[in-house]
Amino acid sequence: MKILAINPGSTSTKFAVYEDEKPILTRCITHTAEELAPYDAITEQQGFRRQLVLDELEQAGIPLEFDAVIGRGGLVKPVSGGVYEINEKMLSDTLQGCVMHNHACNLGCLIAYEIANAINTRHSRCRAFIADPGVVDELSPLARISGSPLMPRICIWHALNQRAIARRYAKSIGKEYEDLNLIICHLGGGISVAAHEHGQAVDANNALDGEGPFSPERAGSLPAADLIRLCFSGKFTEKQLLKRIAGKAGLTAHLGTNNMIEILERIRHGDQHAKLLVDAMLYHTAKQIASEAAVLCGHIDAILLTGGMAHSDYIINELCRRIGFLAPVHTFPGEDEMEALALNALSVLQGRCEAKIYK
């Protein structure tokens, strides 16, 4: 089976070609601010990014002949985990932005569908999928309730990577993901922490815009009354304040950069202010992880740490110092999203699972 996996980010488009489980081409196309400047909305970048992928495939001598194209899922309506066949309803909800319109992950569904459609016009059979989008919602009834009936809790988290890491860990110990209770923490531009109870993420934070620890780019949970007062202060527009929640928030707001390599280098050279802020981020992350132990009533098989920041010994050692008493801690640096996308598509193509229908 030949599979094309596409993962758009804010300043890059990653894609990979797989033959069954084997990657035969991986690419990361970076986009400059000047290239993206003409597009008011991210979804307007669809044709530009799609053509770049097609050009790279042509240059690599890979014909446009795939059994499936799978994209990173967008911010559509909350769904259960799994693989979804892209349909007109999903395309419509993606373009309208059910949760957030201007986010790069929304491009994955659109580009995958368009490329699969182009292949199908040649009388081939190519299916278009997404898998485990960030809006996967398997929260328990208790987790949904907040202190205001106007604002029930929702989760937006790194579902794709967390599930991929969970399955990889389970396989490494000869078990199934569904057999285990896990706490998984994705350490990236945003930080998501989820309690996985026998294959269901029964609790997870809204890592995109306003819950949990602060991160390199996001503010996390904020004092509610202070935030309301700031909204009515007249000092900021709605758009500016939303940026202060996600984008120009967290370490970026404090230190002027989201580059963790640079920040950790500053700490290594004695920058005590940078150290204080990173240590505070890790302190709040550890608190979030520990709170999920209560969700699982202390029955935790392992804690898994993943994402780009998991490459740092400083970050991992500090987290382990605070959470190591809860359960064994295992580290999976980086992201496993391209392989996860491809393997999800393959599982449907080989009949090991059935694609779900988005409604």
Side-chain angles (χ1 to χ4, degrees):
M1 296 292 182
K2 285 189 69 176
I3 298 162
L4 174 63
I6 301 170
N7 184 359
S10 57
T11 59
S12 69
T13 302
K14 299 175 184 176
F15 74 92
V17 176
Y18 276 72
E19 286 186 354
D20 291 336
E21 298 178 359
K22 180 183 177 183
I24 62 172
L25 176 73
T26 58
R27 290 285 188 272
C28 179
I29 307 169
T30 57
H31 312 303
T32 65
E34 291 74 21
E35 286 176 325
L36 301 181
Y39 305 102
D40 292 329
I42 284 179
T43 50
E44 293 175 7
Q45 300 171 16
Q46 176 184 346
F48 165 70
R49 296 204 194 202
R50 181 201 68 243
Q51 192 57 49
L52 290 175
V53 172
L54 296 177
D55 290 345
E56 288 282 339
L57 289 171
E58 184 177 2
Q59 289 175 20
I62 296 177
L64 206 60
E65 298 170 357
F66 296 100
D67 297 287
V69 184
I70 184 166
R72 178 185 178 186
L75 300 177
V76 290
K77 291 186 298 189
V79 295
S80 59
V83 183
Y84 286 81
E85 195 115 28
I86 300 172
N87 58 21
E88 293 294 336
K89 175 63 175 170
M90 185 186 296
L91 294 170
S92 174
D93 284 356
T94 299
L95 287 168
Q96 290 174 12
C98 283
V99 177
M100 181 182 288
H101 179 69
N102 226 25
H103 195 285
C105 66
N106 288 334
L107 290 165
C109 160
L110 303 175
I111 295 173
Y113 184 80
E114 198 167 18
I115 291 177
N117 246 10
I119 295 170
N120 285 329
T121 61
R122 304 176 184 183
H123 308 292
S124 300
R125 170 60 171 154
C126 180
R127 300 174 71 181
F129 304 119
I130 65 164
D132 288 330
V135 291
V136 165
D137 184 345
E138 299 165 342
L139 298 183
S140 72
L142 295 176
R144 295 184 192 282
I145 299 173
S146 79
S148 170
L150 299 175
M151 291 175 281
R153 285 189 68 235
I154 66 168
C155 57
I156 302 176
W157 56 296
H158 301 90
L160 180 64
N161 188 49
Q162 286 207 23
R163 284 191 187 280
I165 293 303
R167 292 189 181 101
R168 188 201 294 182
Y169 172 72
K171 185 177 180 180
S172 74
I173 61 171
K175 293 190 176 182
E176 298 293 328
Y177 167 49
E178 291 76 14
D179 297 332
L180 301 173
N181 281 354
L182 303 169
I183 299 173
I184 307 180
C185 175
H186 181 106
L187 298 158
I191 295 174
S192 66
V193 182
H196 297 248
E197 186 174 33
H198 300 299
Q200 298 283 307
V202 295
D203 194 271
N205 62 307
N206 182 348
L208 179 63
D209 63 351
E211 192 180 38
F214 71 88
S215 72
E217 296 177 358
R218 292 163 197 169
S221 299
L222 294 170
D226 288 344
L227 182 59
I228 291 170
R229 294 186 189 103
L230 193 62
C231 290
F232 285 90
S233 68
K235 296 178 181 178
F236 303 97
T237 65
E238 179 186 3
K239 187 175 180 180
Q240 287 170 333
L241 281 174
L242 287 172
K243 276 289 186 184
R244 298 297 180 101
I245 298 294
K248 295 181 179 178
L251 294 181
T252 300
H254 283 287
L255 297 173
T257 180
N258 64 356
N259 187 322
M260 286 307 301
I261 295 175
E262 176 188 330
I263 293 170
L264 291 170
E265 189 66 13
R266 285 163 62 171
I267 294 173
R268 196 174 70 83
H269 284 92
D271 187 331
Q272 291 302 306
H273 183 57
K275 183 178 187 303
L276 174 67
L277 289 164
V278 171
D279 287 351
M281 179 182 73
L282 299 176
Y283 169 90
H284 290 290
T285 301
K287 280 204 306 181
Q288 186 76 25
I289 292 170
S291 72
E292 299 298 357
V295 171
L296 298 174
C297 299
H299 302 302
I300 312 159
D301 292 295
I303 299 170
L304 310 182
L305 304 177
T306 182
M309 285 194 286
H311 286 287
S312 165
D313 289 340
Y314 181 93
I315 287 171
I316 295 303
N317 290 341
E318 179 61 16
L319 284 175
C320 287
R321 184 174 75 85
R322 292 188 178 277
I323 62 173
F325 71 95
L326 293 168
V329 181
H330 302 273
T331 306
F332 297 83
E335 297 180 356
D336 205 18
E337 292 183 337
M338 301 311 296
E339 182 181 55
L341 286 171
L343 294 184
N344 271 296
L346 184 63
S347 67
V348 174
L349 295 176
Q350 293 183 338
R352 288 181 281 115
C353 77
E354 191 172 328
K356 297 182 177 181
I357 298 172
Y358 179 82
K359 298 178 181 179

